[in-house]
């Protein structure tokens, strides 16, 4: 008697687009196909351009894909790839905006916070970048073992730390409205008492 066991299906992540013999360069992971195909083609073309070192071409493809995407999963993959491409080009503010947009639609995806960490590091916000990187790592661990109470607590604490650091940065970077309004020439304060 021979016992045959089924192989466990391979989990495909949006970042899993490296060329393999069974897929062409820049091919879409099977899980991410969209209904219209345009976003899928743009994603694959962007990955191929990025692998070839054409970061501006990759950026254009990811942006074009975002114009026609329907699925949350593919939208987040396009945003993440565009964020990392923007960071590679030194366009850190835009990279951070894409990383934050990705977090809006997929807040439990570790890659979201890897993108934010890359952009924040480029902007010189080291503490916040480190917290985002720790959150990405904690989310990755939690994905592998979703019932692990310690991992859940680590994610919760790191989310709080990341949020607090972001709020501090935004408060620091906000324009100050506490200055006195400028006076126009000839409107000097009047001396009182005569």
């Amino acid at each position: 008697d021979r016992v045959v066991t089924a192989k466990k299906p391979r989990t495909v992540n949006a970042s899993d687009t490296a060329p393999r013999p069974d897929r062409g360069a820049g091919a879409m992971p099977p899980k991410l196909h969209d209904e219209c195909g345009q976003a899928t083609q743009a994603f694959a073309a962007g990955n191929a351009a990025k692998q070839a070192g054409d970061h501006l071409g990759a950026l254009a493809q990811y942006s074009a894909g975002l114009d026609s995407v329907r699925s949350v999963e593919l939208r987040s993959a396009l945003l993440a790839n565009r964020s990392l491409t923007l960071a590679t080009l030194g366009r850190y503010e835009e990279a951070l905006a894409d990383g934050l947009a990705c977090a809006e639609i997929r807040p439990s995806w570790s890659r979201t916070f890897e993108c934010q960490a890359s952009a924040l590091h480029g902007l010189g916000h080291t503490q916040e970048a480190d917290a985002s990187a720790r959150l990405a790592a904690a989310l990755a661990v939690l994905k592998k073992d979703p019932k692990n109470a310690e991992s859940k607590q680590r994610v919760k604490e790191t989310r709080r730390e990341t949020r607090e650091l972001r709020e501090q940065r935004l408060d620091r970077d906000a324009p100050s409205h506490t200055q006195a309004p400028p006076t126009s020439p000839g409107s000097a304060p009047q001396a009182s008492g005569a």
Side-chain angles (χ1 to χ4, degrees):
D1 288 320
R2 211 172 110 175
V3 176
V4 178
T5 58
K7 288 184 178 181
K8 184 177 178 183
R10 185 176 163 279
T11 303
V12 180
N13 294 316
S15 60
D16 185 16
T17 57
R20 292 187 3 211
D22 59 330
R23 295 194 314 217
M28 276 300 296
K31 186 173 161 186
L32 296 179
H33 287 286
D34 63 323
E35 298 82 16
C36 65
Q38 292 172 330
T40 299
Q41 290 172 357
F43 184 86
N47 288 345
K50 192 168 184 180
Q51 285 180 338
D54 179 10
H55 299 291
L56 290 174
L59 179 61
Q61 290 296 326
Y62 297 140
S63 296
L66 285 165
D67 290 339
S68 62
V69 70
R70 295 181 191 173
S71 79
V72 168
E73 192 171 50
L74 183 53
R75 176 174 270 305
S76 60
L78 284 161
L79 282 167
N81 283 12
R82 188 170 76 172
S83 175
L84 292 171
T85 301
L86 286 163
T88 299
L89 294 168
R91 294 165 58 179
Y92 301 114
E93 290 287 345
E94 294 169 89
L96 181 57
D98 276 358
L100 293 170
C102 192
E104 291 279 322
I105 60 174
R106 229 168 142 194
S108 295
W109 189 33
S110 63
R111 188 132 183 260
T112 294
F113 298 96
E114 291 170 7
C115 295
Q116 289 180 29
S118 177
L120 288 162
H121 182 66
L123 290 168
H125 302 298
T126 318
Q127 277 188 306
E128 192 178 348
D130 291 347
S132 289
R134 284 193 306 277
L135 180 53
L139 286 167
V141 169
L142 186 60
K143 182 179 179 181
K144 290 178 182 175
D145 186 6
K147 294 181 181 181
N148 184 314
E150 185 179 326
S151 293
K152 287 179 184 179
Q153 184 61 31
R154 185 172 293 122
V155 166
K156 184 177 177 182
E157 290 170 0
T158 314
R159 273 193 198 282
R160 188 189 75 248
E161 178 188 11
T162 303
R163 186 175 44 254
E164 288 171 358
L165 288 168
R166 179 169 296 118
E167 288 169 0
Q168 289 172 12
R169 174 178 51 84
L170 294 174
D171 287 345
R172 265 193 326 267
D173 294 348
S176 175
H177 297 289
T178 59
Q179 298 176 353
T183 57
S184 60
S187 66
Q190 297 289 327
S192 62

